[in-house]
Amino acid sequence: MSINWITRAETSADISTIRDITLAAFDTPLEADLIDALRADPSWVNGLSIVATDHDGRLIGHALLTRCHIGDTPALCLGPVAVLPEYQKTGAGSAAVRASLRAAKELGEHFVTVLGHPAYYPRFGFTRASQHGIGLSIDVPDEAMMALTLDAGHPLPSGTVHYAAPFGI
């Protein structure tokens, strides 16, 4: 299934559908609850909650970037990323992630971190965070913590990633 996904920033009308997509994509409601909590948190950055739709306007996927810090340096955290199960592996998630990274760069952001699947996120330019001296305060598989600079003129800083409070990290 090859679809040219349409991406855009979420609107208030999308919120319940984004929750439905996230609930369908994950085994527990934790990720959907996290998104709801992040919307009410100071880490929320308007314009960085991106949906992927089909040509009929049906929401299929979602990617979220919120504020975090690497040490004292402002950065963004990618996740959750969710796609309706019947549309997984169609490029909807990739389209939403790429659009979110473009939107972040347009806002003048430089750094993005992700705690995710090591076979999926390198396609967007993410590399192992530990190679840049970036870590977490909790134990996670080294290959799952990744980072990306959106601007080659700004090399990744080193330090511990500090997530928004709703992450509980």
Side-chain angles (χ1 to χ4, degrees):
M1 185 181 331
S2 179
I3 299 172
N4 289 324
W5 299 103
I6 299 165
T7 56
R8 60 171 173 78
E10 79 166 36
T11 66
S12 58
D14 300 328
I15 292 173
S16 66
T17 306
I18 290 169
R19 183 170 177 82
D20 292 343
I21 290 168
T22 307
L23 287 169
F26 291 96
D27 294 335
T28 72
L30 292 175
E31 288 82 2
D33 293 345
L34 174 60
I35 294 169
D36 291 342
L38 287 167
R39 276 197 188 90
D41 191 81
S43 64
W44 188 264
V45 181
N46 285 330
L48 296 184
S49 177
I50 303 294
V51 295
T53 72
D54 64 16
H55 286 281
D56 295 326
R58 179 177 179 224
L59 271 64
I60 304 297
H62 175 249
L64 178 61
L65 289 168
T66 52
R67 175 69 60 217
C68 70
H69 289 80
I70 302 171
D72 293 329
T73 305
L76 295 169
C77 163
L78 174 60
V81 174
V83 175
L84 287 173
E86 63 269 30
Y87 288 93
Q88 291 175 2
K89 300 188 184 338
T90 65
S94 291
V97 169
R98 285 191 180 94
S100 71
L101 296 174
R102 276 193 309 274
K105 188 172 183 173
E106 289 168 8
L107 289 175
E109 297 289 339
H110 300 297
F111 312 114
V112 181
T113 66
V114 66
L115 181 57
H117 200 285
Y120 183 73
Y121 291 98
R123 73 185 69 184
F124 307 107
F126 285 93
T127 58
R128 197 176 289 213
S130 63
Q131 294 174 333
H132 307 281
I134 299 169
L136 278 178
S137 60
I138 61 169
D139 286 334
V140 298
D142 186 57
E143 65 276 7
M145 185 67 211
M146 293 167 270
L148 166 72
T149 182
L150 297 172
D151 175 358
H154 290 84
L156 285 160
S158 60
T160 300
V161 177
H162 304 284
Y163 287 105
F167 282 94
I169 297 175

